[in-house]
Amino acid sequence: MRHICTTILLVCFTLVAKIQAQGITLKPEKPTASEIFEDLKKLNFLGSVLYVAAHPDDENTTAISYFANTVKARTAYLSLTRGDGGQNIIGPELRELLGVIRTQELLAARATDGGEQRFTRANDFGYSKHPDETLAIWNKEEVLSDVVWTIRNFKPDVIINRFDHRSPGSTHGHHTSSAMLAVEAFDLAGKPNVFPEQLTYTSPWTPQRQFFNTSWWFYGSREAFAKADKSNLVKVDVGTYYPGLGLSNTEISALSRSQHKSQGFGNTGRRGVNETYFELIKGNMPSNNDIFEGIDTSWNRVKGGQEIGKLVARVIENYDFKAPQKSVPALVNIYKAIQNIDDTHWKTIKSADVKALIKACAGLYLEAKASSQMVTLGDSISLSLEATNRSSLPIRLQGAVLSPTSKTLASDEVLSNNTPWITEETVAVDASFLSTDAYWLQKEGTLGMYHVEDQNLIGQPETPRNNTVVFNILIDGTLLSYEQPIVYKFNDRVKGEVYEPFEVVPAASVALDSKVQIFAKAQPKEIIATVTAHQDQLSGSVKLKAPKNWTISESQRFSNLKKGEQRSFTFTVSPPDTEAEASLIPEVTTQEGVYYKEMVQIDYEHIPLQTLFLPAQAKIVRLDIKRKGDYIGYIQGAGDAVPDYLTQMGYQVAILDPTQLTPDRLSQFDAVVVGIRAYNVVEAMQQAQPLLLDYVKNGGTMIAQYNTSGRWGNTKIGPPYPLQLSRDRVTDEFSEVRILAKEHPLINFPNKITAKDFDGWTQERGLYFPDQWDGQYTPILSMNDKGETPKDGSLLIAPYGEGHYIYTGLSFFRELPAGVSGAYKLFANMLSVGQQQPQSIKQ
C-alpha cells in the first residue's frame, strides 16, 4: 500500500480541513511551520462554501483550492455519485470497484487542494442524456434528501453549482440533475417540515447565496462569452501565488486534478491570472467580486465569539516561525474559550481546528499500530503506542484508551522533550471492534441507488475508522483528547515506511475463478472455489449452490487452515440441456458462521490499499454458441476483462505487445482484437497499425473496439478506409436494435443473431459510434435513444484485401463480464468472419 500523502506532501498545507473531512489520516501529520501558519489564519475565518456536481473529476479544483487556501473558507465538494459508471484506463475494475477507486482519488484530490469530500447514495449507472431519465433511475426523493442532509450538516453560506440547472438535454443528464437538485435543496434545507427525520441528528439551514460556476464553454465560444451580459456574474482571479509554497493556486489545482488517474486527467500546472466566473442564482448580488460579501465570516457571527477572534488575531500576529511551540499557551486559552460558546456547529469545527493546531505547534507525534493488517473476532493482537513531545513544553499523557472498547492501555506518563514514550499492549479483538468494509456496498441496492440505512453514514466518503486509540493529553492544565486510528505499518526495503489500513474481516472468504461461467455445450465443467482463511486453525466445509436444473458435485471439507492460507476446491457443474442462466453461489460453513463473500483488494500506487468483501456469486450461462477459429490475439487498451471471457468461450487468447508485433507472429491468429481505447492510451498503436492492416490484407480478421473522441485529441485509429468517430452513443440498454444487414454473414454465421440477442444488456448499448464512413463499410445495426435519429455506426465491417476489418462501439467490455448471452454470440460471429464457406462479405 502506498499512502497518498507521500506524493503530495509539499502541497498538503490544509491540515485542519483534511482532519475534519476525510477522518483522521493513516499517516500521522507532520506539518511545517509555514503550514501551521496558514491553518492559524483559517482558524479566524468562519465561512463555508459547498461545490456541487455529479461525478469525480467534475469539480473545478482551481475554485475549490482558491476558496480553501486563499479565502480560508471551509470548502467541500459534493459529488452526487462515486463515478461507478465511468471507464478505467489504469486497470480492469468497473462499476462498484471503479467507484471505490474514484472515491479514493477524490480524497487524494481534496487532500491536495484543501477541500472536504461528500457524496449522496446515487449510483452512477452510466451516461444519461436527460435529467428526466437520470431522476427516474435514481430515486429523486432520496438523492434530494441526501443533498438537503449535506447542506444541513455542512451549513454552507454559499453553494456553487458546476452545471447549469436550466439546460436539460444539452449535456450529461447527471450533470444537469446535480444542479437542479442543488437549486431545489437550497430552498428546502431550511424548512423543518422537509425530511423531518433528519432533524434528530442535525438542524435546518438556509444558505445565503447560490451560484453557477459558468465559463465561456457554456456560451459556446470565447467570442460569445466576451459579448455576453456579465452584470449578474462575479469575476474572481483564482490564480493566487503562495510564496510559502512556491506554487500558484492553479498549480495546486493541477496536482489535485491529476489525482483522477483512472480517468486519465493528468494535468500540467499554469501560472498567472486565472479569471473564474460565478453567476448568481439565488440570494443578493455582491457589490464586489467577493462571494462572501455581506456575510459575517468573523468570530462575530457567533455569540460570545468577538473575544475569541481577538485572541486568534493575536496568535497570528505573534507567531514565531522558528518556534511554533510559543503559540501553544494562547491556543489552549482559545480552545477553552471556544468551549463556552453556544453555537454547536462552529464549536465542533473550531475545537477540532485548534486542537490540531496545538498538536502541530507542540510537535506532538501520536501513533497506534497493530501487529497485523487484518484481524478477525477472537484474535489477539499487539498494539504498539507512541507519544513523542518534540517541544520543551510540559506535557503529560493522562492515559490512552482503546475505542470503542474503553480498555485502558496506558496511565499517567510525563512526555519529556523529544523522548519517545512507547509501550505495547496485547488486545483481544472482541465484538466491540467495528467493521471496516465499505458501508455503501454492504446491502444490495438498485441500478440507480446504493442502500444505506444509517443516516449518519450517508454522505461520508468512506467507512469511518472507528477502531482507534484515544490519547488524553494534558497541556497547560487543559485536557485534550486526540483520537488516532489503529494502523498497520511496516518497512519495505525499497519504499521504506509503508502504512496500510487496519482491517476487521470475517473468519473466511471464498472466491470463484470467474464471475461468469459460459457452458457453450451441454457438457460438465470444472469450477474452482478458493477458500481463504483469515484466522488460524480454520476448519469447515465449502459447497456450491445453484438451481436444481444444474447438477453440482458434493460439498468438500477442509481443516486447520493457517491465517492467510488459501485452498482451492474443484467442483463439477453440469448444465441443463437447454439454454439457461442462473447464479452460482459458493458457501463456506465453519464453527464461527457461514461465509459467502469474496475478499477483493485494490492496490494502486496513488491510493491506499482497499480491502472489500463482496458477494462471491458468479453468473452461469448455458449457451448454444457456435464458433469458428481457435487462436485469438488481443491487444489490451485501457483495461478490460474481455480476454478472460473469450477464453470462457473456448478460444486460446494470447495478449500481444504492439511493440513486438511481426508479420509471422500475427499470421498465427484466426483474429486479432484491439481492446477499448487502445488508440487513445497506447502510443505504440500508431506504429503497429500498418502491420495490423497488412495482417488483414493477407486474410486476417481484425476487430477494433471503441475509442473516444474529444478530450483525447485527434484520435487516429488508422482504419483501412476512412471513418470518423463521433460522440454518438445509445445509453438506454433497452432501446430497440434493428438489424440492417439481415443477410450478412456477420448476423448469420455461425450463430443466427436476432433482436432477442440484445435483451438483457447492461448500462448502455454502446458509445462513441462513427457517424461518417467510407462506402466500403457495411453498417450492420441501427439503434437510437428515445427521440433521437437512428445511429447506424455501432458495428461496421469492410473487406480489405483477403481479410476483414470490423469497428464496433458496442460495449462488449460491459456485456461479456455481465454474462449477456447475445453479446457472446455476436462476438463469436465477429471472430468467425471469413471462416464460413467462401462468399462475399460485402453486401
Side-chain angles (χ1 to χ4, degrees), residues 626 739 741-754 780 825-826 829-830 832-833 836 839 843:
K626 303 178 183 66
I739 298 175
K742 294 181 180 179
E743 304 303 319
H744 198 287
L746 187 53
I747 292 297
N748 295 283
F749 178 83
N751 303 285
K752 178 69 175 178
I753 303 298
T754 70
I780 302 298
K825 289 182 179 180
L826 182 55
N829 281 16
M830 291 160 56
S832 301
V833 164
Q836 73 276 19
Q839 64 183 62
Q843 300 296 302

Side-chain angles (χ1 to χ4, degrees), residues 253-271:
S253 168
L255 290 169
S256 175
R257 188 75 169 162
S258 296
Q259 301 309 312
H260 296 297
K261 299 184 188 304
S262 65
Q263 297 301 104
F265 277 118
N267 212 277
T268 298
R270 295 181 296 146
R271 291 144 295 281

Side-chain angles (χ1 to χ4, degrees), residues 13 44 103 306 318 324 342 497 608 625 632 656 709 759 769:
F13 67 95
N44 228 9
T103 293
Q306 186 174 14
N318 296 325
D342 295 328
E497 185 178 61
I625 186 170
I632 307 299
L656 303 180
S709 61
D759 292 348
F769 299 161

Side-chain angles (χ1 to χ4, degrees), residues 107 119 251 308 365 455 467 541 605 620 630 657 666 685 697 700 759 801 804 816:
L107 291 177
F119 293 99
E251 291 175 300
I308 297 174
Y365 183 90
Q455 181 68 48
N467 303 307
S541 63
E605 288 286 350
I620 45 179
D630 294 300
D657 181 345
L666 288 171
M685 285 303 299
K697 184 181 289 186
D759 292 348
H804 308 95
L816 298 186

Side-chain angles (χ1 to χ4, degrees), residues 258-486:
S258 296
Q259 301 309 312
H260 296 297
K261 299 184 188 304
S262 65
Q263 297 301 104
F265 277 118
N267 212 277
T268 298
R270 295 181 296 146
R271 291 144 295 281
V273 172
N274 189 306
E275 293 178 344
T276 296
Y277 291 84
F278 303 96
E279 178 186 350
L280 184 71
I281 298 173
K282 290 181 180 290
N284 297 323
M285 184 69 181
S287 59
N288 55 31
N289 287 325
D290 177 9
I291 68 167
F292 285 101
E293 191 257 345
I295 300 172
D296 191 350
T297 58
S298 73
W299 276 98
N300 293 335
R301 76 181 297 169
V302 174
K303 183 180 179 181
Q306 186 174 14
E307 289 304 312
I308 297 174
K310 292 178 182 178
L311 291 174
V312 175
R314 199 170 301 134
V315 173
I316 295 171
E317 182 181 356
N318 296 325
Y319 181 70
D320 188 339
F321 284 85
K322 294 183 178 180
Q325 68 181 40
K326 293 179 181 178
S327 297
V328 169
L331 288 170
V332 170
N333 287 334
I334 291 170
Y335 175 80
K336 290 190 291 186
I338 291 173
Q339 305 319 299
N340 295 323
I341 64 175
D342 295 328
D343 188 317
T344 56
H345 176 70
W346 285 111
K347 178 193 286 189
T348 301
I349 293 168
K350 293 304 181 181
S351 291
D353 288 357
V354 75
K355 279 173 59 180
L357 283 164
I358 292 168
K359 181 169 172 278
C361 287
L364 185 59
Y365 183 90
L366 303 173
E367 184 177 82
K369 64 177 181 177
S371 56
S372 179
Q373 195 258 327
M374 289 186 193
V375 298
T376 63
L377 299 186
D379 279 350
S380 290
I381 56 168
S382 175
L383 280 182
S384 176
L385 308 184
E386 177 184 345
T388 302
N389 168 23
R390 292 175 289 182
S391 74
S392 59
L393 297 168
I395 297 177
R396 298 185 73 92
L397 172 66
Q398 289 204 328
V401 178
L402 179 64
S403 178
T405 69
S406 300
K407 175 182 171 63
T408 299
L409 301 176
S411 54
D412 191 45
E413 301 286 344
V414 174
L415 299 181
S416 301
N417 180 23
N418 212 27
T419 303
W421 170 84
I422 298 174
T423 189
E424 288 197 12
E425 290 283 334
T426 299
V427 174
V429 180
D430 58 25
S432 61
F433 278 73
L434 301 178
S435 170
T436 53
D437 206 1
Y439 72 86
W440 64 96
L441 299 178
Q442 293 312 294
K443 292 185 179 293
E444 185 176 0
T446 64
L447 173 64
M449 297 294 296
Y450 286 116
H451 181 75
V452 181
E453 294 178 347
D454 186 340
Q455 181 68 48
N456 286 309
L457 284 176
I458 292 173
Q460 297 214 34
E462 56 186 343
T463 302
R465 292 282 159 180
N466 288 321
N467 303 307
T468 65
V469 171
V470 179
F471 292 84
N472 294 311
I473 304 295
L474 187 67
I475 301 179
D476 206 21
T478 298
L479 189 65
L480 303 172
S481 294
Y482 291 96
E483 191 170 19
Q484 295 295 127
I486 299 172

